[in-house]
Amino acid sequence: MLLDIDRFKEVNDSLGHHIGDQLLVEVAGRLVGCVRESDTVARMGGDEFLIILPEVGRAENAAHVAQKFLDSLAQPFDLEGQDVFISASVGITIYPSDSREVHMLVKHADTAMYHAKAQGKNNFKFFTEDINKSTIERFRLESRFRRALEKLEFQLNYQPKVDFRSGRITGMEALLRWYHPEQGSVNPALFIPLAEETGLVIQLSEWALKEACRQNKEWQNEGLPPLRVSLTFLPSISIRRTCRT
């Protein structure tokens, strides 16, 4: 298993690294309390722990241990008089059915753990080939998305809002679209959540807001009246940041 503390960086940033270090010690103690003497709990680095359960038997037994971890960590930690609440995500892989190679088992557990985080954190997932494929595709999509931001492969399509009584266009809704040079149009349901997860939504939103303003000004230069343009996909933090500049 690989266990990673959810949002551990927030603990370090808000309470200080000394509290984060104490938390890691306390977490290790609780994990050790959930396993047998024959099992191994090791800190891999940062806030990630590796757990080895020899002769665990059925996969259900591994799931039971993983749930014990989550239940144990759900109890508050008393650190210098402060109650600190955390959760964790766990990835599970089985030897020898998933692999006989140590490095591949660690990789598979990491893939499953990442999938657990993507599914909302505070849970565990077993490694499967479907998870592996979806994770690989997700990394590929993220790589393409980052290149698309550099090359500005995005554009805004405008949907008019019309007053039916007068037939006059009263506003526009800007729809963000990504047109990959080889794969064509990419579904916004794929890349908008990806942008939010990676934090790239700020950069994307700033570009979209500036582009909408540029287009609106161009319409006015052509003799059209000023129009209100809405960009509904923008996070509020991005709008406030851009409007101040």
Side-chain angles (χ1 to χ4, degrees), residues 41-52:
V41 176
R43 180 174 169 232
M44 291 283 286
D47 59 338
E48 191 171 73
F49 292 84
L50 181 143
I51 301 98
I52 303 174

Side-chain angles (χ1 to χ4, degrees), residues 32-117:
V32 170
C34 294
V35 298
R36 306 163 299 182
E37 290 188 5
S38 59
D39 300 330
T40 300
V41 176
R43 180 174 169 232
M44 291 283 286
D47 59 338
E48 191 171 73
F49 292 84
L50 181 143
I51 301 98
I52 303 174
L53 307 176
E55 299 182 10
V56 71
R58 299 179 301 170
E60 290 84 348
N61 295 336
H64 176 69
V65 174
Q67 189 59 54
K68 284 178 62 178
F69 289 154
L70 299 181
D71 293 341
S72 176
L73 298 180
Q75 302 304 311
F77 292 82
D78 183 1
L79 302 176
E80 295 188 0
Q82 300 184 76
D83 282 343
V84 177
F85 293 85
I86 65 167
S87 62
S89 300
V90 184
I92 308 172
T93 189
I94 305 294
Y95 170 93
S97 57
D98 291 335
S99 178
R100 292 179 176 271
E101 301 293 331
V102 172
H103 72 281
M104 289 303 298
L105 288 169
V106 174
K107 178 178 179 295
H108 291 340
D110 187 66
T111 297
M113 182 267 291
Y114 175 84
H115 190 69
K117 282 188 177 294

